């Protein structure tokens, strides 16, 4: 306990409090973001998540009272008490986040558990205290979201989680407290107001969201500093913007990474890979990426190729490139202990591996057998690892898949006392464990960027808050169960809320044997997940789109083609993500915070703001209830207009995923393709759904960083509905990319018209079913449809 406030001083927007038993610092990052910091282990933050933070100019007023200090910004009031207890209020002094006035009081667990454990029943440990703890009051009407990929429902109220990256291949169920990722961030929604808390601590940390007592929630850690950021909304969108302002935003990826991707443990030898590639093309199923799992390597030695399975890697990747395929290869952190193997030799010579407390390189077992672990906490090691990406780039590899980087190990977990250099602040495994995969991804990203000059594609299993700057993620080794399909939706939604706009699951499930129905329903979800990758385990049945029957193949083809059609819309969402932090897949409450019926929808989501997806997630089900928020919505497949603010019953046979488009939406689409880059992107088709609305479309070269220098185009499209006519206005907001569209088609959905005018002149149009289609020049300014 820090004791009573003795005094404090102000340095700009930083307030340094001197307590009886220590010090605390409250810093204003912006009018909505406030940092609470107690230097327990380090005097400085030493954050792995927050890089180059920029403080925003903020008006700050302070008031000193006998028992407290009030610090007021334009949006938030922070009240500091003895023991560095901090309450947060909005400007109207409505309570937002208050300290709990009391001690933790867990519910009682009764009985002797030994007899239950003797039968093999898994019992929960008693709740325990932690070196660092912050206890906050619960009002009872909270909803909690975030924490990344944790299992369970969308709303995390009543759950308990631990942040400790864990490789656990058993079927993931709702009571899992740990998984592969540690993202110590959550959002609270209460009284139609949102705030977030980011606990910037890499040691093992704990979050109890009212599980042990409904009067409070708490978060804490085993070591490190008390270092958390309060992020005020009041909207959920503003909380996400604030959190990603701190930890970074998902960068705009190359467009090919948004195409369909096929993976398996393992596609070897080369002839099997070519067979897979040829099947995609001859069966008219689009695909951009084929992955190589661990068996492409020479004895699982990273940055090598097995020359019997792949005699000439460059020729192999070139053959695939000619067919429109990119190759992504797995790289694990475990380096085989093998004298004469160049990665091992370089690492030993330069002291690049983590050591035991006596300075001897630590050895455990992974796929190659005895293996050593690069010390990614050391900048020299990260630079070395980034340089090694050239080996893969030079062999024609387009992206890197980082796996087993929790770090995983076969002879028990790495001991707590394994030593890391930590960029000049030597420490042990307890501090580095959760950021090991994060730092590996950072090194990988920087290497690919250096040697390709293009936007890197990195996919990682383990990560920490802020990894979204460097890598996409997937939810790890799921199973081919409908329950894992059901759980995938809230997992991905919470990942998105936690800053990871680019995320996905193993479509069809990794372990166990998939079924035709499960793959059909999973590909319907995968069509709308930012990362769209089918992946399956060694010795499971084949899981490619054609592996079952003609009906299943046709459903896969239908939704994979739909994905490619929607690529420009998806790309726009990634452009928005880089600029605002907003996810691609969004829980409905993000845009409908005034509607409490959206707060706990676990089985439907928004794709951007304009599309609502309500997949079937249960075996044998061919209909479902769909909640449509207020407003009018169009059934994507039938064109039926439906009034929202209610639940509708939707028939959904095996080939239908219920999809709805909000009125006034303008959806940019592409024509059919087998892979990104097959044809020039000369033509854009705008699907317009009648109603008032505005849309901004983004265009660039889809692979380089030139857009950072302004080489991109922004098109603004506005739709106005008046009596008897629909007016569509076009304007170019920014035009510095010169290789843009040559032609744009406007497809007015579900509307038969009498005549069409372009810039005042009557033009021809075609009717495609119930749709009206016209062609425009990129320079046209206005269309008027008379209906």
């Amino acid at each position: 306990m820090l004791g009573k406030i003795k005094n404090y001083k102000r340095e700009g927007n930083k307030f340094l409090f001197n307590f009886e038993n220590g010090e605390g610092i409250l810093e204003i990052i912006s009018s909505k973001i406030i940092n609470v910091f107690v230097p327990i282990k380090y005097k400085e933050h030493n954050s792995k998540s927050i890089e180059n933070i920029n403080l925003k100019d903020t008006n700050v007023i302070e008031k000193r009272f006998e028992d407290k200090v009030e610090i007021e910004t334009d949006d938030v009031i922070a009240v500091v008490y003895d023991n560095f207890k901090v309450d947060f209020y909005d400007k109207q002094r409505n309570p937002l986040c208050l300290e709990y006035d009391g001690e933790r009081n867990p519910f009682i667990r009764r009985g002797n558990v030994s007899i239950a454990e003797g039968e093999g029943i898994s019992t929960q440990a008693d709740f325990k205290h932690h070196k660092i703890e912050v206890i906050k009051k619960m009002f009872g009407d909270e909803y909690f979201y975030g924490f990344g990929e944790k299992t369970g429902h969308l709303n995390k109220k009543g759950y308990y989680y631990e942040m400790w990256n864990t490789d656990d291949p058993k079927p993931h169920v709702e009571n899992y407290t740990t998984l592969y990722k540690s993202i110590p961030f959550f959002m609270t929604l209460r009284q139609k107001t949102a705030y977030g808390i980011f606990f910037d601590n890499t040691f093992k940390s704990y979050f109890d969201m009212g599980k042990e007592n409904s009067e409070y929630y708490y978060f804490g850690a085993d070591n490190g500093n008390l270092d958390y950021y309060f992020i005020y909304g009041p909207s959920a969108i503003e909380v996400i913007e604030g959190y990603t302002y701190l930890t970074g935003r998902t960068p705009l990826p190359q467009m090919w990474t948004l195409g369909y991707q096929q993976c398996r443990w393992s596609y070897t030898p080369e002839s099997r890979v070519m067979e897979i590639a040829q099947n995609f093309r001859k069966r008219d199923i689009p695909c951009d990426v084929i992955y190589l799992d661990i068996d492409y390597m020479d004895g699982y030695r990273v940055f090598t190729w097995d020359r019997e399975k792949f005699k000439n890697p460059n020729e192999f990747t070139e053959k695939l490139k000619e067919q429109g395929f990119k190759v992504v290869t797995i790289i694990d952190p475990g380096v085989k202990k093998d004298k004469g193997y160049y990665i091992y030799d370089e690492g030993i010579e330069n002291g690049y591996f983590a050591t035991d407390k006596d300075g001897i390189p630590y050895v455990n077992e992974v796929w190659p057998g005895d293996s050593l672990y690069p010390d990614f906490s050391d900048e020299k090691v990260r630079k070395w690892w980034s340089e090694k990406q050239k080996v893969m780039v030079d062999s024609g590899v387009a992206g890197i898949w980082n796996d087993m980087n929790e770090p995983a190990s076969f002879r028990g977990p790495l001991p707590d006392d394994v030593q890391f250099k930590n960029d000049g602040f030597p420490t042990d495994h307890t501090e580095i464990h959760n950021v090991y995969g994060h730092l590996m991804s950072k090194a990988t990203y920087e290497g690919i960027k250096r040697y390709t000059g293009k936007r890197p594609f990195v996919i990682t299993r383990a990560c920490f808050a802020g990894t979204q700057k460097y890598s996409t993620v997937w939810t790890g080794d799921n199973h081919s169960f409908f329950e894992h399909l059901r759980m995938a939706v809230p997992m991905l939604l919470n990942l998105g809320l936690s800053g990871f706009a680019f995320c996905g699951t193993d479509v069809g499930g990794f372990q166990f044997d998939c079924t035709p129905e499960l793959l059909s329903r999973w590909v319907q979800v995968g069509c709308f997940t930012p990362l769209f990758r089918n992946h399956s385990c060694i010795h499971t049945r084949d899981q490619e789109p054609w592996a079952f029957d003609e009906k299943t193949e046709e459903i896969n083809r239908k939704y994979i083609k739909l994905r490619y059609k929607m690529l420009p819309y998806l790309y726009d969402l990634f452009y928005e993500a880089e600029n605002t932090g907003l996810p691609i897949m969004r829980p409905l409450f993000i845009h409908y915070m005034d509607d409490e019926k959206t707060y706990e929808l676990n089985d439907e989501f928004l794709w951007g703001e304009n599309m609502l997806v309500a997949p079937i997630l249960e075996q044998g089900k061919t209909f479902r209830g769909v909640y449509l928020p207020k407003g009018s919505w169009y059934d994507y497949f039938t064109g039926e207009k439906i009034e929202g603010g209610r639940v509708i019953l939707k028939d959904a046979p095996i080939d239908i995923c219920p999809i709805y488009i909000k009125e006034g939406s303008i959806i940019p689409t592409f024509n059919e393709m087998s892979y990104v880059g097959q044809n020039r992107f000369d033509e854009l088709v705008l699907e317009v759904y009648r109603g008032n609305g505005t849309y901004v479309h983004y265009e660039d070269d889809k692979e380089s960083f030139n857009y950072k220098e302004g080489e991109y185009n922004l098109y603004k499209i506005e739709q106005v509905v008046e009596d008897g006519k629909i007016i569509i206005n076009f304007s170019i907001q920014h035009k510095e990319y010169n290789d843009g569209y040559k032609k744009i088609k406007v497809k007015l959905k579900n509307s038969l018209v009498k005549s069409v005018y372009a810039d005042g002149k009557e033009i021809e149009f075609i009717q495609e079913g119930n749709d009206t289609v016209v062609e425009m020049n990129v320079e046209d300014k206005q269309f008027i449809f008379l209906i």
Side-chain angles (χ1 to χ4, degrees):
M1 303 290 284
L2 292 176
K4 293 185 177 297
I5 299 174
K6 293 172 64 178
N7 53 63
Y8 77 95
K9 65 178 179 178
R10 177 176 177 178
E11 296 179 354
N13 286 352
K14 185 181 289 187
F15 295 82
L16 291 79
F17 287 86
N18 185 22
F19 296 92
E20 291 175 314
N21 303 315
E23 62 178 339
I25 300 169
L26 188 141
E27 185 172 14
I28 310 300
I29 309 300
S30 73
S31 65
K32 294 185 176 184
I33 304 175
I34 298 176
N35 176 236
V36 178
F37 180 75
V38 178
I40 299 170
K41 183 175 177 63
Y42 298 115
K43 290 185 178 181
E44 304 294 335
H45 291 281
N46 292 315
S47 178
K48 297 294 191 293
S49 301
I50 299 175
E51 302 176 24
N52 305 317
I53 188 170
N54 294 315
L55 304 183
K56 293 187 177 181
D57 291 336
T58 307
N59 296 317
V60 182
I61 301 171
E62 57 181 299
K63 298 176 184 177
R64 178 68 160 107
F65 298 88
E66 183 177 346
D67 62 338
K68 62 186 178 182
V69 177
E70 287 191 0
I71 299 168
E72 184 174 343
T73 75
D74 291 338
D75 294 289
V76 177
I77 300 170
V79 184
V80 181
Y81 299 93
D82 294 338
N83 292 309
F84 207 23
K85 302 292 186 182
V86 185
D87 290 340
F88 297 95
Y89 299 83
D90 67 15
K91 287 289 282 188
Q92 289 71 45
R93 294 191 176 270
N94 297 309
L96 297 171
C97 175
L98 305 183
E99 298 280 347
Y100 178 65
D101 185 18
E103 300 294 322
R104 283 176 55 194
N105 183 28
F107 63 74
I108 300 171
R109 294 187 181 275
R110 304 183 187 277
N112 185 338
V113 300
S114 60
I115 187 170
E117 290 174 341
E119 191 190 356
I121 293 174
S122 176
T123 58
Q124 293 198 1
D126 291 331
F127 296 103
K128 60 183 181 181
H129 287 277
H130 312 289
K131 182 175 181 178
I132 298 167
E133 281 186 355
V134 176
I135 311 172
K136 295 291 187 178
K137 177 181 178 179
M138 283 184 65
F139 296 88
D141 56 351
E142 292 91 348
Y143 298 83
F144 297 114
Y145 310 97
F147 301 117
E149 69 175 357
K150 301 300 187 187
T151 58
H153 292 85
L154 181 65
N155 177 17
K156 298 307 185 185
K157 185 176 181 179
Y159 283 87
Y160 166 81
Y161 293 114
E162 297 175 358
M163 299 297 158
W164 190 250
N165 291 356
T166 303
D167 171 26
D168 190 342
K170 296 192 298 295
H172 306 147
V173 293
E174 191 170 334
N175 68 349
Y176 267 44
T177 60
T178 61
L179 261 179
Y180 308 97
K181 301 164 186 64
S182 293
I183 306 171
F185 164 79
F186 66 91
M187 180 192 301
T188 303
L189 183 55
R190 176 179 169 268
Q191 302 280 306
K192 299 180 181 179
T193 298
Y195 70 83
I197 288 180
F198 170 46
F199 183 33
D200 194 3
N201 185 308
T202 70
F203 287 88
K204 188 173 186 178
S205 56
Y206 309 85
F207 292 80
D208 187 299
M209 312 313 291
K211 180 177 173 61
E212 74 171 29
N213 191 314
S214 60
E215 293 183 354
Y216 59 81
Y217 66 89
Y218 80 83
F219 55 92
D222 287 341
N223 206 334
N225 294 328
L226 193 165
D227 188 0
Y228 74 89
Y229 294 81
F230 175 84
I231 306 162
Y232 178 53
S235 70
I237 289 174
E238 290 167 295
V239 173
I240 297 168
E241 288 177 343
Y243 171 67
T244 56
Y245 175 78
L246 291 173
T247 61
R249 291 172 179 158
T250 299
L252 188 65
Q254 293 189 63
M255 184 174 275
W256 65 262
T257 69
L258 307 182
Y260 178 79
Q261 306 184 14
Q262 187 66 46
C263 185
R264 182 170 174 84
W265 180 20
S266 282
Y267 286 135
T268 58
E270 178 180 335
S271 58
R272 175 61 175 153
V273 182
M274 301 311 295
E275 178 189 349
I276 295 296
Q278 290 158 12
N279 263 298
F280 274 106
R281 297 297 178 247
K282 78 178 183 181
R283 294 173 185 272
D284 188 28
I285 301 174
C287 181
D288 265 272
V289 183
I290 297 178
Y291 283 72
L292 301 183
D293 211 316
I294 56 176
D295 296 303
Y296 81 92
M297 292 182 268
D298 177 15
Y300 308 124
R301 296 170 181 84
V302 291
F303 303 112
T304 69
W305 289 82
D306 184 325
R307 293 306 180 114
E308 291 187 5
K309 297 173 183 173
F310 299 91
K311 290 184 170 56
N312 188 318
N314 291 82
E315 287 184 6
F316 162 69
T317 55
E318 187 60 32
K319 285 180 195 172
L320 287 173
K321 182 179 179 181
E322 290 169 1
Q323 298 180 56
F325 291 97
K326 305 287 194 301
V327 174
V328 173
T329 53
I330 198 169
I331 294 287
D332 296 335
V335 173
K336 184 175 179 62
K337 184 181 179 182
D338 180 17
K339 194 172 182 180
Y341 164 41
Y342 77 110
I343 300 291
Y344 171 78
D345 291 344
E346 289 177 19
I348 289 293
E349 181 181 351
N350 293 286
Y352 288 160
F353 297 117
T355 69
D356 64 19
K357 58 186 177 181
D358 297 319
I360 299 171
Y362 173 75
V363 178
N364 204 312
E365 182 184 355
V366 209
W367 301 120
D370 282 354
S371 302
L372 291 78
Y373 295 82
D375 179 1
F376 294 121
S377 74
D378 183 10
E379 185 177 3
K380 289 189 297 184
V381 178
R382 292 195 298 274
K383 185 174 184 295
W384 170 65
W385 197 260
S386 72
E387 290 170 352
K388 293 306 166 193
Q389 307 307 313
K390 188 175 189 296
V391 176
M392 307 313 296
V393 168
D394 285 350
S395 62
V397 169
I400 295 295
W401 166 24
N402 288 336
D403 200 7
M404 304 292 285
N405 54 349
E406 290 71 33
S409 50
F410 296 164
R411 289 201 295 262
L414 273 65
D416 288 348
D417 63 0
V418 170
Q419 302 296 300
F420 293 86
K421 293 186 176 69
N422 196 26
D423 288 334
F425 297 89
T427 189
D428 60 29
H429 185 236
T430 59
E431 183 172 5
I432 299 301
H433 176 88
N434 281 338
V435 290
Y436 190 81
H438 168 81
L439 296 170
M440 180 185 184
S441 293
K442 180 179 181 179
T444 304
Y445 176 93
E446 291 172 348
I448 296 175
K449 181 179 180 181
R450 176 180 176 183
Y451 294 114
T452 68
K454 297 179 181 179
R455 308 169 206 169
F457 179 63
V458 182
I459 173 172
T460 187
R461 189 170 74 176
C463 67
F464 193 71
T467 306
Q468 67 267 13
K469 298 186 290 288
Y470 307 115
S471 180
T472 177
V473 297
W474 90 105
T475 57
D477 294 347
N478 59 6
H479 284 61
S480 296
F481 302 156
F482 266 94
E483 177 59 17
H484 277 202
L485 172 59
R486 182 203 64 77
M487 200 160 56
V489 173
M491 289 174 83
L492 293 173
L493 292 178
N494 275 312
L495 267 168
L497 294 175
S498 304
F500 287 81
F502 203 172
C503 57
T505 68
D506 285 343
V507 170
F510 176 66
Q511 299 184 67
F512 205 55
D513 291 326
C514 194
T515 66
E517 182 185 4
L518 180 58
L519 183 59
S520 297
R521 291 306 191 186
W522 212 316
V523 79
Q524 292 168 16
V525 175
C527 174
F528 299 99
T529 59
L531 177 70
F532 189 9
R533 181 181 82 154
N534 177 319
H535 183 36
S536 54
C537 186
I538 194 170
H539 213 61
T540 60
R541 67 157 301 158
D542 287 352
Q543 197 170 287
E544 295 77 30
W546 56 84
F548 295 94
D549 51 55
E550 289 185 9
K551 180 68 172 177
T552 305
E553 180 179 338
E554 181 53 41
I555 291 169
N556 274 257
R557 183 182 297 107
K558 173 181 177 178
Y559 285 93
I560 294 172
K561 284 192 171 189
L562 177 59
R563 168 63 162 236
Y564 280 78
K565 176 182 178 181
M566 294 293 177
L567 279 179
Y569 177 72
L570 178 57
Y571 200 60
D572 284 342
L573 294 180
F574 271 96
Y575 172 74
E576 184 180 18
E578 179 173 289
N579 286 282
T580 67
L582 282 179
I584 312 303
M585 291 176 67
R586 303 172 186 175
L588 272 67
F589 74 79
I590 285 288
H591 293 292
Y592 298 93
M593 272 185 59
D594 288 339
D595 184 353
E596 294 186 10
K597 292 179 181 177
T598 66
Y599 288 7
E600 295 198 76
L601 293 175
N602 296 283
D603 60 352
E604 58 182 89
F605 56 91
L606 294 170
W607 207 44
E609 190 174 355
N610 298 317
M611 298 180 69
L612 186 150
V613 183
I616 297 293
L617 306 174
E618 299 174 46
Q619 181 175 328
K621 197 167 185 178
T622 56
F623 62 92
R624 62 158 293 166
V626 179
Y627 182 72
L628 295 176
K630 187 177 180 180
S632 297
W633 298 82
Y634 291 90
D635 185 306
Y636 179 76
F637 290 113
T638 69
E640 179 187 4
K641 186 177 181 180
I642 306 166
E643 288 305 310
R646 62 192 178 103
V647 176
I648 64 166
L649 188 63
K650 171 65 177 174
D651 283 329
I654 187 65
D655 65 332
I656 292 295
C657 173
I659 304 167
Y660 300 88
I661 313 294
K662 188 170 74 170
E663 70 170 342
S665 294
I666 298 163
I667 309 293
T669 66
F670 282 152
N671 296 318
E672 279 199 12
M673 67 186 82
S674 296
Y675 58 91
V676 172
Q678 180 183 23
N679 306 306
R680 287 176 52 83
F681 294 103
D682 286 342
E683 182 174 295
L684 184 72
V685 180
L686 296 171
E687 297 194 343
V688 178
Y689 290 79
R690 189 189 305 188
N692 295 314
T694 301
Y695 186 82
V696 175
H697 175 59
Y698 173 83
E699 180 189 27
D700 67 9
D701 67 17
K702 302 169 183 60
E703 63 178 19
S704 79
F705 284 97
N706 292 349
Y707 75 100
K708 294 281 192 181
E709 306 303 319
E711 290 188 25
Y712 63 89
N713 298 333
L714 273 184
Y715 305 89
K716 183 179 180 181
I717 309 113
E718 181 185 26
Q719 180 186 184
V720 180
V721 179
E722 297 179 355
D723 290 340
K725 59 185 175 181
I726 298 169
I727 303 170
I728 299 177
N729 296 308
F730 292 85
S731 61
I732 300 177
Q733 305 289 297
H734 182 97
K735 186 169 176 58
E736 293 294 333
Y737 175 59
N738 296 321
D739 198 18
Y741 303 122
K742 302 297 185 289
K743 180 170 39 173
I744 295 179
K745 284 185 178 179
V746 177
K747 181 179 289 189
L748 187 61
K749 299 290 292 182
N750 314 305
S751 297
L752 301 178
V753 307
K754 298 174 182 176
S755 55
V756 182
Y757 291 82
D759 289 341
K761 296 180 180 179
E762 188 170 2
I763 62 170
E764 294 183 352
F765 63 90
I766 0 181
Q767 295 290 165
E768 293 183 357
N770 291 324
D771 303 334
T772 300
V773 182
V774 296
E775 289 189 8
M776 65 173 282
N777 297 314
V778 178
E779 302 303 324
D780 287 341
K781 300 293 190 297
Q782 186 182 75
F783 281 86
I784 297 177
F785 295 81
L786 299 182
I787 55 177

